[in-house]
Amino acid sequence: MALPPVAFDDLPRSVRSSIEAETGAVLETETVTAGKNSALSARVHTTGGTVFLKGLNSEHRWVWTQRCEADINPYVTPLAPRMLFHLVVEGWDILGFELLDGHHADYSPGSPDIPKVVQALRRLDDMPCPNIDLRLAEQRLSKYVTHPADAEAFAGDALLHTDWNNDNVLITGARARLVDWGWATRGAAWLDPAYWIIWLIASGHSPAQAEEIGQHIPAWATAPPTAVDLFADANAALWNEIAGDSPDVWTARLRSAAMKWRHHRRG
Ligand SMILES: Nc1ncnc2c1ncn2[C@@H]1O[C@H](COP(=O)(O)OP(=O)(O)OP(=O)(O)O)[C@@H](O)[C@H]1O
Ligand SMILES: [Mg+2]
């Protein structure tokens, strides 16, 4: 569910002062509207430069995603922007990041951004999964499989991002950079390319074309087909649940992509 946006100026004075102690005096702020889950999402221009801030109320049920994002950051830069500070002040949990100056990745057929995202997925595939507390793919997906044991097909030792929404992929020059690591997960290495495939389909690729693009990512090229079938089933169930009876256009598009992919794999 989307949270109402909070502007920088709406934060309590003590929170703003703590941020300014990290960044320098704030000169101008811009609320960023792309994200749906951060109550605060802003570009902040300061005497010390420009930073990106995201924040949640400390009571929020997803505040743990802020901790996860902070914990994972040292292991995933420079694919991710560098975290500059994590503040917990007067009921607010705030992360400050290096600002990325780029555009959201375009996943449509023929987009020049696609090879850059492939490169980012290959880099992620090469990163060892740090020994920190992370969600487990087999647990996150367990509710969407027919038989509990099926979810074991998603278990593994790889570090996964799992949210390949193109709003989370910023293209800066020749590179794709990945933001929003709050749902970082441990699981089978082919899962990130598989999550991306649904977004490629939602952006106009046929399932066959999307899978073909995935072939450039070694983890995908070696994925066990029966496990991928189970993942396609699970994602169709997951997007059906998210969409419910009256989905918005965005959710309906993702559900349709997940259903098309499942149909492609299962016939
Ligand atoms: N370091 C950064 N530099 C510039 N822009 C950023 C940076 N990090 C995030 N953004 C932009 O802000 C948006 C929101 O950030 P992010 O996705 O991390 O927050 P969120 O509110 O948790 O999003 P979601 O709705 O996906 O959960 C991103 O989609 C991206 O466009
Ligand atoms: Mg996001």
Side-chain angles (χ1 to χ4, degrees), residues 34-38 41 54 161 163 165-169 179-181:
K36 292 198 293 300
N37 291 330
S38 289
S41 188
K54 66 187 280 190
H161 179 284
D163 186 357
N165 183 334
N166 64 310
D167 282 349
N168 289 336
V169 182
V179 304
D180 207 1
W181 288 80

Side-chain angles (χ1 to χ4, degrees), residues 20-209:
E20 288 189 308
E22 299 285 344
T23 62
V26 170
L27 304 171
E28 202 188 329
T29 63
E30 298 167 66
T31 296
V32 175
T33 49
K36 292 198 293 300
N37 291 330
S38 289
L40 171 77
S41 188
R43 271 190 215 101
V44 177
H45 306 278
T46 78
T47 50
T50 305
V51 298
F52 176 79
L53 296 181
K54 66 187 280 190
L56 283 178
N57 192 291
S58 300
E59 300 291 303
H60 194 276
R61 69 186 177 107
W62 288 335
V63 77
W64 62 265
T65 62
Q66 297 268 113
R67 162 59 51 203
C68 177
E69 193 158 2
D71 288 349
I72 200 81
N73 188 263
Y75 302 98
V76 293
T77 51
L79 181 55
R82 195 162 59 85
M83 190 185 77
L84 306 173
F85 53 87
H86 182 196
L87 297 172
V88 182
V89 188
E90 209 186 312
W92 278 87
D93 192 299
I94 310 275
L95 298 171
F97 287 98
E98 153 201 12
L99 184 89
L100 297 181
D101 196 10
H103 65 266
H104 293 140
D106 171 4
Y107 291 165
S108 60
S111 162
D113 296 345
I114 288 178
K116 298 174 189 175
V117 182
V118 165
Q119 226 20 61
L121 275 152
R122 293 177 67 119
R123 286 178 70 200
L124 183 50
D125 194 17
D126 286 341
M127 286 179 192
C129 188
N131 189 17
I132 61 174
D133 201 19
L134 289 170
R135 304 249 134 178
L136 300 178
E138 64 275 27
Q139 285 175 5
R140 281 183 59 187
L141 291 165
S142 63
K143 149 176 191 215
Y144 304 104
V145 291
T146 314
H147 309 290
D150 289 348
E152 288 308 312
F154 312 136
D157 293 331
L159 169 63
L160 307 170
H161 179 284
T162 75
D163 186 357
W164 289 85
N165 183 334
N166 64 310
D167 282 349
N168 289 336
V169 182
L170 288 165
I171 306 294
T172 59
R175 283 200 295 169
R177 310 278 300 272
L178 199 47
V179 304
D180 207 1
W181 288 80
W183 286 84
T185 294
R186 194 189 314 275
W190 52 270
L191 286 174
D192 262 339
Y195 278 113
W196 185 43
I197 277 171
I198 296 171
W199 284 92
L200 288 173
I201 298 168
S203 307
H205 292 87
S206 69
Q209 284 169 332

